[in-house]
Amino acid sequence: MQNLAERKIQGKLKYIGSAFLELLKKYYFVPIGLFFLHKALHIAPYTSISLTSKIYLFMLALVCFTVYEDIRHDIKLVPFLLLCIIFFIFIFYANKHGYAFWGRILRWQIKKGFVINLNPVFSSIPFNDGSFARVYKSETLTWFFRMVYNNGFVLPVLLVLYRSALIMDFKKMLRYALSAHVLQIFLISPFYLIFHLQEVWYVLGQPDGLARHLSSRSAAGITLNCFPSMHTSICFAMFLLVLRERNKIFKFVMSFFCLSVIYSTLYLEIHWVLDIAAGIILAIIAVKLSDFILDKLKMLIQKPLDKFYYKNVKTIYVDNYYLDTMKN
């Protein structure tokens, strides 16, 4: 009788353990989101911690709580995690050393000189200074737009990459990364090497909208490379891709963030209207190019993907291509 009772207890414990693991497997994003939310709420009262850090944690929590309907269930976990590790090592390395690399490019540009000076041309075009975006100004708006601009070059990309990792969609991770800095650095560099254009406030002799308290020499170097606006091209590319996501809350919040960054460049007198237009065109090209690259890449590596990356794949052979009947 004692052995029977022990077996029943062990069976119940095994059942509870299996049910817990199944629940965790299905809703793994909830404890991760609760962790970030707890951290955000914990540091919220401390004035010594930057507002950027607080908002970043709240955004990470939001990202976690919006992934359920986008999670992929046709992916093998171990190959995905291996790809993620390699991918994020590259991303963290680029994030750490990217600004230093960009600084070397700026210094090289200054030494080489410029081919075409756009300052007088852009300043003479009516409404090109974006004055319509500053019809109404307030301390609150200025604080808000400074915050989104200062975080608008990297944070929109990192947030969508983290979310793509949570939903186990490596293809989305690649598409976001390619559409952002990876492709855009190469697409935009020729413009920066050919055209000399500085920020609106500097050319028009206005106060710096970001209140960076720059010396004359520093301002002359830092205000370079305005055409096209890379803040715009990065954020608009992320905006276009975010519109493809299923979750409406995530789409709304990220779209608002990305579009606010673009508007902030006009409000703070950083970019000209034509910079914004060129940045939008560059973003569209980057997204289309990343779609093209990934489509071609999928054709080349479809067989190994079906074997090592996807699970329970059913394929049919048509015109020398494997068409996956399970994947989008």
Side-chain angles (χ1 to χ4, degrees):
M1 291 293 292
Q2 186 177 359
N3 291 336
L4 180 62
E6 289 179 354
R7 284 198 296 270
K8 285 184 178 180
I9 292 172
Q10 290 175 356
K12 287 182 179 179
L13 290 175
K14 186 176 180 180
Y15 173 78
I16 293 171
S18 299
F20 175 76
L21 289 175
E22 190 64 29
L23 193 66
L24 186 63
K25 182 180 178 181
K26 189 175 182 181
Y27 299 105
Y28 60 88
F29 55 90
V30 174
I32 299 173
L34 289 174
F35 169 78
F36 286 124
L37 182 60
H38 171 73
K39 295 288 289 185
L41 292 173
H42 177 71
I43 68 172
Y46 295 96
T47 56
S48 58
I49 299 176
S50 68
L51 182 64
T52 298
S53 299
K54 298 172 185 177
I55 292 174
Y56 183 42
L57 287 172
F58 276 113
M59 289 291 286
L60 286 175
L62 174 72
V63 162
C64 293
F65 293 135
T66 62
V67 302
Y68 180 73
E69 55 196 329
D70 289 313
I71 294 174
R72 298 197 64 156
H73 301 285
D74 59 335
I75 305 300
K76 294 179 181 178
L77 182 60
V78 174
F80 173 75
L81 290 177
L82 290 175
L83 289 173
C84 274
I85 291 171
I86 297 170
F87 179 84
F88 277 112
I89 287 174
F90 166 75
I91 292 297
F92 292 144
Y93 179 85
N95 188 38
K96 182 177 180 180
H97 299 283
Y99 282 107
F101 175 74
W102 194 247
R104 289 196 293 270
I105 292 178
L106 287 176
R107 290 191 291 272
W108 182 78
Q109 283 181 256
I110 293 172
K111 290 180 181 178
K112 291 293 181 180
F114 307 97
V115 178
I116 301 173
N117 183 5
L118 293 179
N119 282 348
V121 177
F122 273 50
S123 60
S124 66
I125 299 174
F127 305 109
N128 194 33
D129 62 353
S131 56
F132 55 86
R134 301 182 292 277
V135 172
Y136 175 76
K137 295 184 71 174
S138 69
E139 290 185 7
T140 303
L141 272 180
T142 301
W143 165 83
F144 173 75
F145 284 126
R146 283 175 180 172
M147 179 188 65
V148 296
Y149 180 86
N150 287 327
N151 293 281
F153 196 68
V154 174
L155 189 56
V157 184
L158 288 181
L159 288 173
V160 294
L161 288 179
Y162 293 153
R163 187 176 186 274
S164 299
L166 279 174
I167 65 175
M168 297 196 296
D169 197 326
F170 191 71
K171 187 176 180 181
K172 275 188 180 180
M173 294 168 66
L174 288 177
R175 180 173 280 112
Y176 278 121
L178 285 172
S179 300
H181 301 77
V182 174
L183 286 177
Q184 290 198 29
I185 288 292
F186 297 101
L187 292 173
I188 210 167
S189 292
F191 291 93
Y192 290 168
L193 294 174
I194 295 172
F195 299 110
H196 170 57
L197 181 65
Q198 292 170 284
E199 295 176 5
V200 176
W201 69 271
Y202 183 83
V203 175
L204 299 183
Q206 304 287 353
D208 180 9
L210 288 171
R212 289 169 287 190
H213 308 293
L214 301 169
S215 65
S216 299
R217 183 175 180 179
S218 296
I222 288 176
T223 58
L224 294 173
N225 294 340
C226 285
F227 180 78
S229 165
M230 200 168 181
H231 267 77
T232 297
S233 60
I234 295 292
C235 286
F236 198 76
M238 298 302 97
F239 168 70
L240 292 176
L241 293 177
V242 162
L243 292 179
R244 302 180 184 182
E245 303 289 350
R246 290 192 181 97
N247 188 273
K248 293 181 180 179
I249 296 175
F250 177 72
K251 282 200 291 189
F252 175 80
V253 173
M254 282 302 300
S255 296
F256 178 76
F257 180 29
C258 291
L259 296 179
S260 293
V261 173
I262 296 171
Y263 190 84
S264 73
T265 65
L266 295 174
Y267 180 91
L268 297 171
E269 296 185 76
I270 305 296
H271 283 290
W272 309 84
V273 173
L274 289 181
D275 300 340
I276 307 299
I280 289 173
I281 294 172
L282 182 69
I284 295 171
I285 293 172
V287 170
K288 294 294 184 183
L289 187 56
S290 68
D291 286 341
F292 175 80
I293 291 172
L294 290 176
D295 287 342
K296 293 297 182 183
L297 185 63
K298 183 179 179 181
M299 292 179 184
L300 293 174
I301 62 173
Q302 189 64 61
K303 283 186 179 180
L305 282 177
D306 290 343
K307 185 175 182 180
F308 299 106
Y309 185 68
Y310 296 110
K311 56 185 179 183
N312 301 324
V313 176
K314 298 177 182 179
T315 57
I316 56 175
Y317 192 79
V318 179
D319 291 336
N320 296 324
Y321 293 111
Y322 277 88
L323 302 179
D324 185 358
T325 60
M326 291 181 61
K327 303 184 287 296
N328 295 334

